Amino acid sequence: MTSIAQRQELQNKIWKIANDVRGSVDGWDFKQFVLGTLFYRFISENFTNYIEGGDESVNYPSLSDDVITPEIKDDAVKTKGYFIYPSQLFVNVAKTANTNSNLNTDLKAIFDSIESSANGYPSEQDIKGLFADFDTTSSRLGNTVENKNSRLAAVIKGVEELNFGKFEDNQIDLFGDAYEFLISKYAANAGKSGGEYFTPTHVSKLIAQLALHNQTTVNKIYDPAAGSGSLLLQAKKHFDKHIIEEGFFGQEVNHTTYNLARMNMFLHNINYDKFHIVLGDTLRDPHLGDEKPFDAIVSNPPYSVKWIGDDDPTLINDDRFAPAGVLAPKSKADFAFVLHALSYLSSKGRAAIVCFPGIFYRAGAEQKIRKYLVDNNYVESVISLAPNLFYGTTIAVNILVLSKHKTDTKTQFIDVSGEDFFKKETNNNVMTDKHIKKVIEMFDSKEEVAHVATSMDNSKIAEKDYNLSVSVYVDPKDNREKVDINRLSEDISNIVENINQLRAEIDNTVNKIPDLFNFEELSDSGRVVQTVLGDENYVEIANSGRKPVKASLRVAGKTPYYGANNIQDYVDGFTHEGEYILIAEDGSKSLENYSIQYAVGKFWANNHVHVIRGKNGLDSKFLFYYLQVVNFIPFLSGGGRAKLTKGKLIEIPITFPPIEIQKQIVNILDSYTELSAKLSAKLSAELSAREKQYEYYRNALLAFPKNKLVE
């Protein structure tokens, strides 16, 4: 199995566990129990691997807690940052999970023990509170201890069954990626509440590559609104081949996502001494000022969040905001995050920040901040992304790239909002690696790309009141169709001529009908048969050959698979062959215009259609046309989802003339049907051509010079 297939299988299993176990609990609320269990298993196996050190004679889970000396524990905590006794390991807890009546309290005690093992050590702040959101006594798990234990056991046993492989076979990546996958799935299904905490992987890749572009080494990487840590982790993945001297730093105001970020660091094999994630309000209470400057900053701060702003007069003297001479508006803290990032950025580094588009053109304080950024030559690029890339919002956001080492006084603008730069998927648009590569190449070269990328001298930006909207500087491509008006007029004339010919043919066909036969004479002579569909002398009911097959079990092929309302699928094999009429048994879209289909050749019928055909002088095609004018309503039962039982089907009356007359009627109706379809297509073509003609002349008539006044 390839790594991609293995990862996909693992992700599907994890999502199934999450959905099957949570029951009526909201997915976003329940995520902590699934994510926490995954994390618990990971650190247990990671710690076991460390203790055993590849020695096959040592089986740490089988050891007694009594063999652990203070020296062993001390050494392990100094290295790993925490300690787990053999009895506390996930594998041992899982063995008795289904029968342990104290499971919820035992888990709480284990988690408290793991966290407290770091007390007094350098890792204390990195370990403290890791399991705080894994509340084993929460009412979300159930109203009774028994219910809580049952649901906890189900999650534990489900996670136990997952195959992560061996550590030496990239177990860590699989664990971490599975963890990120689950976070992203919850975010996608939670709407805005999820989108606040997770940046899609593909966007994270782009941001990380922009921030790290052309840097051979970085001192450290920082995210001032870290969320679940996805941006930092993408930076790690992109930059593993280089040297990250001091590791990964971030601050997060939400306690739940703060814990997620720290867990995610461990899961991706970033040891406690290589990351420093802190809890707190980045704007009002920054904790990492002593760590600055940073060579790489990545961030997707919350859009237009409120903050204290000038209600706190001391902030204007803050080193982060003072140089701009103005604070971001209280109702929109976007530029406060930007100025914070700029303040923490080193002279050789870059910051790539996701921004709400409005901050690039609004007046007032935001305009003054833009002036400060442009006049000091900090803005390297503004990149306009496609809409619907992020979970929880369809907004087409921008990426602002800041730099303190530019060699020119120009600002680059890149518009990658077009369909050449994303792939449409069911819920969200996605930037593939190919799309990201194209953006990075344009960012690197700074070359002009028509309708996509341009660089503008900062003096020109000043002339436009420091507007940094990409659309102001990148001319959109004119995708309007070029119309040859002479050719179009000729096409319209030909279409009209064809329409007139078709109308004449239809009139000719209709005019022949009265002369073909005398219906009253046929009736009087007894040559018209009056019977019902259940008359086996004239009608074959072939329902016995029907065979329903679930969509998941169908074998793809070329044979049409019929349901109540036309073809549902194409499959391999068939149930019937020949000319048949298919009448809806249930589920017809319309009761007044009941679903009747005509099938020729090989086809597959499920149990939602009756399958019949004429015999012994009853033409099947004639019967098909006849049934289209029958009122089915008196024969239906079941209300809104009406059903035509076989018992009622066989009661439907039919009347038909001799076979030779049936065939004449069929020929007329076939001809009329074909001509009508052609006429409809030509009328549609004429309408479309007329619309193009109108648009051409409208644009031509209104395109007079607008800079000249009427004399």
Side-chain angles (χ1 to χ4, degrees), residues 173-193:
D173 284 342
L174 283 176
F175 243 126
D177 290 349
Y179 194 83
E180 277 191 85
F181 160 80
L182 198 54
I183 297 173
S184 72
K185 288 287 286 185
Y186 278 123
N189 285 272
K192 187 174 185 299
S193 62

Side-chain angles (χ1 to χ4, degrees), residues 534-550:
D535 190 339
E536 295 181 358
N537 292 316
Y538 296 106
V539 179
E540 176 190 348
I541 299 178
N543 283 359
S544 61
R546 302 179 305 177
K547 186 179 179 182
V549 183
K550 291 181 179 180

Side-chain angles (χ1 to χ4, degrees), residues 557-578:
K558 297 181 179 180
T559 305
Y561 179 93
Y562 282 93
N565 295 290
N566 219 316
I567 298 171
Q568 309 295 308
D569 204 348
Y570 287 89
V571 299
D572 188 37
F574 62 96
T575 59
H576 299 77
E577 183 176 13

Side-chain angles (χ1 to χ4, degrees), residues 384-404:
S384 176
L385 301 182
N388 202 33
L389 292 176
F390 290 77
Y391 304 119
T393 181
T394 60
I395 297 170
V397 300
N398 294 351
I399 297 176
L400 174 65
V401 183
L402 301 176
S403 171
K404 292 182 177 179

Side-chain angles (χ1 to χ4, degrees), residues 19 46 124 242:
N19 271 339
N46 186 282
E124 181 176 353
H242 303 306

Side-chain angles (χ1 to χ4, degrees), residues 581-601:
I581 302 148
L582 309 181
I583 306 171
E585 182 173 341
D586 55 39
S588 178
K589 291 181 180 178
S590 170
L591 301 186
E592 289 75 17
N593 187 22
Y594 205 67
S595 179
I596 303 171
Q597 308 159 67
Y598 193 69
V600 180

Side-chain angles (χ1 to χ4, degrees), residues 204-471:
S204 298
K205 283 183 181 179
L206 174 60
I207 295 168
Q209 291 185 36
L210 287 167
L212 299 167
H213 186 64
N214 281 344
Q215 298 199 68
T216 56
T217 63
V218 296
N219 60 354
K220 44 201 169 183
I221 298 170
Y222 173 54
D223 186 347
S228 62
S230 62
L231 278 170
L232 291 174
L233 291 171
Q234 282 301 324
K236 173 189 180 291
K237 292 176 182 179
H238 179 70
F239 222 56
D240 269 348
K241 61 185 177 183
H242 303 306
I243 298 172
I244 303 175
E245 296 169 347
E246 299 174 49
F248 304 84
F249 294 74
Q251 184 163 344
E252 171 58 36
V253 69
N254 181 280
H255 193 276
T256 297
T257 44
Y258 159 67
N259 284 337
L260 287 179
R262 291 189 296 159
M263 288 182 182
N264 231 345
M265 295 295 115
F266 281 111
L267 286 164
H268 285 83
N269 207 31
I270 302 173
N271 207 41
Y272 77 92
D273 59 345
K274 284 295 183 181
F275 74 83
H276 191 23
I277 310 294
V278 294
L279 177 66
D281 187 331
T282 301
L283 300 181
R284 296 194 65 183
D285 186 24
H287 287 314
L288 298 172
D290 293 339
E291 303 287 347
K292 67 180 185 181
F294 296 88
D295 290 344
I297 297 177
V298 291
S299 190
N300 179 21
Y303 307 140
S304 302
V305 69
K306 294 180 180 178
W307 78 307
I308 193 168
D310 56 17
D311 282 349
D312 182 353
T314 65
L315 285 175
I316 195 61
N317 298 316
D318 191 299
D319 290 344
R320 299 168 296 167
F321 311 126
V326 65
L327 296 172
K330 290 186 290 186
S331 60
K332 306 175 183 68
D334 308 69
F335 265 131
F337 283 103
V338 169
L339 292 174
H340 172 92
L342 180 67
S343 174
Y344 279 47
L345 186 64
S346 75
S347 59
K348 60 166 281 193
R350 280 195 184 90
I353 307 166
V354 179
C355 296
F356 186 79
I359 72 170
F360 293 106
Y361 60 79
R362 291 192 294 245
E366 291 177 318
Q367 182 190 36
K368 293 177 181 177
I369 294 172
R370 294 196 304 272
K371 180 179 187 303
Y372 163 72
L373 295 174
V374 173
D375 287 350
N376 287 276
N377 203 31
Y378 291 138
V379 182
E380 183 170 2
S381 293
V382 183
I383 304 171
S384 176
L385 301 182
N388 202 33
L389 292 176
F390 290 77
Y391 304 119
T393 181
T394 60
I395 297 170
V397 300
N398 294 351
I399 297 176
L400 174 65
V401 183
L402 301 176
S403 171
K404 292 182 177 179
H405 61 273
K406 290 170 61 182
T407 57
D408 60 24
T409 55
K410 292 184 175 182
T411 298
Q412 183 187 39
F413 297 91
I414 304 177
D415 184 357
V416 292
S417 62
E419 292 189 358
D420 291 341
F421 295 95
F422 68 88
K423 179 178 71 172
K424 290 185 178 181
E425 294 194 350
T426 305
N427 295 320
N428 289 87
N429 295 326
V430 172
M431 296 184 77
T432 66
D433 288 346
K434 182 180 178 181
H435 297 136
I436 293 170
K437 183 180 178 183
K438 287 169 64 177
V439 177
I440 296 297
E441 287 175 349
M442 290 186 292
F443 173 75
D444 176 72
S445 70
K446 298 296 190 288
E447 293 180 358
E448 296 283 316
V449 180
H451 313 298
V452 176
T454 189
S455 292
M456 191 66 57
D457 193 89
N458 290 343
S459 62
K460 299 294 184 183
I461 298 173
E463 292 174 4
K464 294 185 180 294
D465 295 325
Y466 296 94
N467 191 323
L468 291 177
S469 297
V470 174
S471 60

